[in-house]
Amino acid sequence: MDKVKSNKFSWIFSLLKCCLIGILATLIGTLLFAIVLKFVDFSSKTISYVNDGIKMISLFITIGCIKKVDGEKLLIKSVLAGLIYALLTFVIFSVLNGGFNFNLTFVYDLIFALVVSVIISVILNLFNKR
C-alpha cells in the first residue's frame, strides 16, 4: 500500500524550497557579476539593468521549479513565490549590507518581483499548451 501525504500545506514547503533555489541563483549571479565588475567598469545604470536581469532569471528558475513540482494554480503560486522571493532577498541582502533600509527601492523590488513572476507564469502556461 502506498503512503499518501496528508499534509495539506505541503505545497507551501515546496514553494519555499523553489524560492530558495531562486535565491541561490540570485546569489550566484550576483557573485559572478561582482567578479566581472572587478575587471570592467560599468555605469550605475548598466549595473542596475544587469541586477534586474539577474532577478528575472532567478524568478524564471523559481517559477519553473514550481511548475515542475506542481503546475496547478500556477498564477497564484507564482504571485506568492514572487512575494516570498522579494522578502527573502531583501532580508538576505540587508544582512549582507549590515542594516535594514526600508525605502522606495524595497517597494520597487517587491512590485518588480510580483510583475515579473506573473509574466513568467503566463509565458510558461502559454508554452505548456503547445
Side-chain angles (χ1 to χ4, degrees), residues 33 37 41-53:
F33 186 54
L37 282 177
D41 188 31
F42 288 129
S43 68
S44 61
K45 199 172 202 178
T46 304
I47 292 171
S48 175
Y49 290 146
V50 172
N51 283 335
D52 287 344

Side-chain angles (χ1 to χ4, degrees), residues 88-101:
L88 287 177
T89 53
F90 172 74
V91 169
I92 290 170
F93 284 109
S94 293
V95 167
L96 290 175
N97 197 23
F100 290 91
N101 262 344

